[in-house]
Amino acid sequence: MREGTAVRSIRLALAAAAVVLGSTAVGRASEQPDLSGHWTADVPLPDGRTPQLVVDLDRLGSRWGGEFDVLALGVENYPVHVELLNGAVKLTFADAEAHFTGRHSADGNRLAGLLEFGTQKIEIELRKAGKAAFSPLFLEFEAAADDSSRVENLSARGNELRLRFNSDRDKIRLVLLLAPS
Amino acid sequence: MQEQVLATIESEKLAIYVVWEPILRTDNARASRKATMLVPDARARHYWIDTEALGELFQPALGLTTEPAWDVYLVYPPGGTWSDVPPAPEFFMHQLVGRLPEERLLDGEALAQRIRQLLQ
């Protein structure tokens, strides 16, 4: 998988701190866990430091979504992808190329599992500490994600772009080819 | 890009096309709609393509051989057109370290300066 600029910068931050997280599954899995909330976990690093992972999760329309911070590593307001897998919860911190897989406790206030980054695995326990608190920017991005008018779909050879490019032939044209993540 | 380049050039003689491609694992149409927030310029047209085909079409224009064109910024002067394959840009910059010339690594000020020169 190729790395974007954001990925590279976060990977460097994490690698510099020799971070990676993990955990053991505990508790009873819920059929439909309520993941909404502000979750925090201490991440014990090999160098003795324990930065805090903060994850805010909530239902965003018909799906779960959220954002995460590791402020001690300069990581703030990056998206979290949420999957429910046979009673387990998988959180993908895509911009850090890390993921957490764990299970809900019986009282619904803990998520214990394994945080994985590269070849490293660290056990952590996320504890719910109130309601999700999304950044304003996160909410703006989510609104944009739901607005299908923001992008035009291209066919395989980019014919729509070609036509526009040619019709703008009297202008300076700047073409950016980018990965969105 | 928005602050260092586009916001410094007010001309309506600049057309901007942003193509979001599926390069990373989490790239998809929804991510592309979010990413439009990163280039909010009113002149920008945003596109999403769900394959690497367009990036591959642009490979010859940049001399890329091992991967599709992405993380690249291509400048075209007035006049040229795109027939079967995209034309080579008059100027380009990139963030593909080690795969395109180092002297063309993205420098917002240099890119903006080149565009302004073409606008004069």
Side-chain angles (χ1 to χ4, degrees):
Chain A
M1 186 56 61
R2 302 181 182 102
E3 290 185 354
T5 305
V7 172
R8 286 192 292 269
S9 62
I10 295 174
R11 279 172 60 91
L12 285 172
L14 290 172
V19 178
V20 174
L21 328 174
S23 75
T24 54
V26 298
R28 179 172 58 83
S30 170
E31 294 274 331
Q32 293 183 330
D34 178 12
L35 300 175
S36 60
H38 180 78
W39 301 82
T40 65
D42 292 330
V43 181
L45 301 181
D47 65 5
R49 290 184 296 158
T50 310
Q52 187 178 56
L53 170 66
V54 178
V55 183
D56 288 286
L57 302 174
D58 207 346
R59 279 200 175 277
L60 303 169
S62 60
R63 62 186 184 80
W64 289 99
E67 61 179 345
F68 76 97
D69 308 325
V70 187
L71 295 178
L73 300 180
V75 175
E76 186 172 10
N77 300 337
Y78 280 89
V80 177
H81 300 269
V82 181
E83 297 172 81
L84 302 179
L85 306 167
N86 299 321
V89 177
K90 182 175 182 180
L91 307 178
T92 301
F93 308 103
D95 292 298
E97 294 200 345
H99 67 268
F100 164 85
T101 305
R103 289 184 181 274
H104 234 193
S105 62
D107 65 6
N109 290 323
R110 290 176 293 137
L111 275 171
L114 196 63
L115 184 60
E116 300 182 60
F117 176 79
T119 59
Q120 300 188 56
K121 301 178 180 182
I122 298 178
E123 292 184 1
I124 62 168
E125 182 177 81
L126 287 155
R127 293 176 177 270
K128 188 181 287 190
K131 294 183 178 179
F134 293 124
S135 66
L137 189 60
F138 175 84
L139 297 174
E140 285 183 41
F141 272 75
E142 285 302 315
D146 291 332
D147 182 358
S148 62
S149 70
R150 298 183 72 93
V151 299
E152 180 180 348
N153 291 323
L154 286 180
S155 52
R157 292 187 64 82
N159 205 41
E160 302 84 356
L161 174 61
R162 183 179 65 82
L163 293 172
R164 175 59 59 180
F165 181 92
N166 289 343
S167 72
D168 286 337
R169 63 171 63 86
D170 61 330
K171 297 183 177 181
I172 309 296
R173 291 154 293 179
L174 175 63
V175 179
L176 313 182
L177 303 177
L178 303 171
S181 296
Chain B
M1 177 55 53
Q2 179 64 41
E3 293 178 3
Q4 288 194 354
V5 180
L6 304 183
T8 68
I9 302 170
E10 295 183 356
S11 175
E12 290 298 324
K13 298 296 286 182
L14 174 64
I16 304 159
Y17 318 102
V18 187
V19 181
W20 301 103
E21 305 175 275
I23 302 295
L24 309 174
R25 187 173 55 231
T26 51
D27 291 339
N28 54 39
R30 181 178 173 81
S32 77
R33 297 193 291 267
K34 282 189 188 182
T36 62
M37 295 278 291
L38 303 174
V39 188
D41 195 289
R43 296 164 294 187
R45 289 178 172 272
H46 293 270
Y47 300 92
W48 161 251
I49 185 164
D50 61 6
T51 74
E52 294 183 345
L54 191 70
E56 291 168 355
L57 267 185
F58 272 90
Q59 281 180 308
L62 293 168
L64 276 169
T65 56
T66 59
E67 63 184 297
W70 71 287
D71 237 346
V72 293
Y73 309 79
L74 318 177
V75 180
Y76 295 87
T81 58
W82 170 349
S83 53
D84 188 42
V85 296
E90 190 269 348
F91 181 75
F92 75 92
M93 300 198 96
H94 69 92
Q95 296 191 91
L96 293 176
V97 177
R99 289 156 285 180
L100 286 171
E102 187 175 349
E103 64 270 21
R104 293 294 181 87
L105 277 174
L106 181 62
D107 175 334
E109 284 191 20
L111 180 59
Q113 184 177 7
R114 191 57 168 257
I115 294 171
R116 280 194 289 269
Q117 287 172 349
L118 288 170
L119 284 167
Q120 289 173 352

